[in-house]
Amino acid sequence: MATVVLSFAPPGFYAVDFPLEFRVDGVVVHAGSFRAGAHVAVDLGAGDHVLVATVRSPVPRSRTFSFAVGEEPLHLELSYDRWWGNFKKSLVIRAADHDDLLRALEQPGVPESVGELPAQPMTATFTLLAVLAVGLLLEYALPVVPRTGFAPNILTLQALGALGKEAFRDGDYFRLLTATFLHADPVHLALNGVALGMAGVFLERKIGARWFVILYGISGLFGSFGSVLANKGNVLSVGASGAILGVVTAGMVLAELDPPAIRTGIRLQLARVLVPSLLPLAMHGDAPVDLGAHLGGALGGALSGGALYLFLRGPARSQARDTANDGHTAWKDALTAPLVTALAAATVLLNAGALSRIPSRAYAPMRAEVALAATLIPNEDLPKDSGPHNDLFRAWASRFPDDPRVLLWQAEQARDSQDREAFDRAIGAGYAASARTESYFGADQKRKFDEEFKSLEGDRVFFDLLPNEQNPIGPDSVAVWNSHLDEWLKRYPKDPRVHKQAALRAYNAKEFERALSEIAAAEAAVPGVASAFPKGVDLGVLSAVKYFSLLKLKRDAETAPLRAVVCAGSHGDYAKKLLVDAGDCPERASR
């Protein structure tokens, strides 16, 4: 039998306390405070033994050591690795001296650290971690477009509440809160989750769930405002990094509530929390890092942490003086006061209200926009040059029949082929498509579409005109006109050129009344088709035909004034020449 001293020096760098337990061969030989350290003596028989040292933190840390005992007293010295968060694997074994044995035999109680604050449960931290996990699951369960890689599509993030400057300007203020519940991918969530868990260990166990929720909410809001101010309009922001960074910053400020001897250690431990939170700065890949959210969150945490320090400083000092009060009344009251509860509840309700806006204000509109985009020609498929691209549009007409650009092309094709029904159908559908796609193309593009359709409507006059390719010219033109004139009069009753030819035919057939009727119809049709004939329609010869028709009908009262006008050259040289050749223009007027 020999005495074995187990010692563990107090780790001054830890912010909160956890139970410390030593087991030798399965038997508990010490249960005490991790922050207070341990120095105990155990009597063990000669032979091999097993020591299990455990820190019962939210994530328990344990290390197993094997050692042999002989006849002489031993001193087993344990140490803790702050960076790896566990006991070091090496166990220092040496012979126990008189001082070691004396100190162990005195068995002092766990020393009190002046001003030590009672630990609070980590309800808020675990709840937030669960909510963030649910947020990521929803990103994969409710995509608005299929994923092309491992991460959710950016449109899905936008539909579920991601923050962007343009959306903020459009009045989607709820995104200031909802963006903090989303993450770009599982790695992003894992890093922030680790940081949030570590921050909760240090801070929530000190200040309680209510104040932790308040600090987290304020920091997240400051981070979102920083993102809006710092980012360009086309950048979307997601993630809890700003809120977490704010909580850590607040924790560094609140370290002033702890005894001076451990403040530096606490802040060093909190600095470790920043490692997973800031890793995205070095791992962002092609995605921009939201520095505005990080800096805004840190500022919010510093301000709110400073205000909370001023609020809690009095109760902390009171608790430090009154160690007889085992209930820590002053400190407990400060953490659970009605005002604190109301602020925490308001924070939760405000975030819940923001999340409730997502289905109607973000998700449904984005789904509708994605569905709309599926009916439109992809921008990347549009040709870069200004060629006709008729083959492309023919293919697109069956795939994207409601695209305003396809309908414009169809209207032009119908106009050129004189298909009035297809033209009217394309114009009507085009106006409807322009209005339907305004949310996708924007108000300016809608206005351009409407102007183009209106311009095409002006071409409706061409349906009332004989196509240029059918207009007879050349030596056989008279024969062609005469063979088709009756048909064209019925088909193109608003074309002055057709009435002109009908008037000439009637005059040659000595049908003078019919000739006058056709001349009147030709003159009446000109204003309605003026847009189709920028240089005007040449009806000058009809003035001479009208004159001779009136002359044959002996309508002298109408003949004289018309003769004066024609002979003055007002109706063209050819009409005047006809009257001069007939000897109906005075000699002076004919020169």
Side-chain angles (χ1 to χ4, degrees), residues 4 48 141 247 337 406 444 491:
V4 177
D48 295 330
V247 168
V406 170
D444 290 341
R491 188 171 180 183

Side-chain angles (χ1 to χ4, degrees), residues 56-118:
R56 300 200 176 281
S57 61
V59 180
R61 299 295 187 178
S62 181
R63 187 76 72 187
T64 300
F65 306 94
S66 298
F67 62 96
V69 175
E71 299 297 330
E72 299 297 328
L74 290 179
H75 184 175
L76 308 184
E77 185 176 349
L78 293 81
S79 56
Y80 201 82
D81 190 326
R82 70 175 69 183
W83 299 113
W84 291 104
N86 202 349
F87 292 98
K88 292 182 179 180
K89 294 181 179 180
S90 59
L91 181 65
V92 178
I93 303 176
R94 60 179 175 81
D97 57 25
H98 178 73
D99 291 338
D100 294 330
L101 295 173
L102 182 61
R103 181 182 174 191
L105 290 174
E106 289 176 354
Q107 297 181 352
V110 177
E112 293 184 2
S113 57
V114 178
E116 182 180 350
L117 307 178

Side-chain angles (χ1 to χ4, degrees), residues 231-278:
N231 290 333
K232 297 180 180 179
N234 60 346
V235 174
L236 286 182
S237 174
V238 294
S241 300
I244 295 170
L245 202 62
V247 168
V248 172
T249 306
M252 291 185 174
V253 174
L254 292 171
E256 288 295 316
L257 296 173
D258 287 279
I262 64 171
R263 289 174 189 168
T264 301
I266 291 173
R267 290 177 175 133
L268 286 174
Q269 287 298 307
L270 286 169
R272 290 179 58 195
V273 176
L274 298 179
V275 174
S277 180
L278 297 178

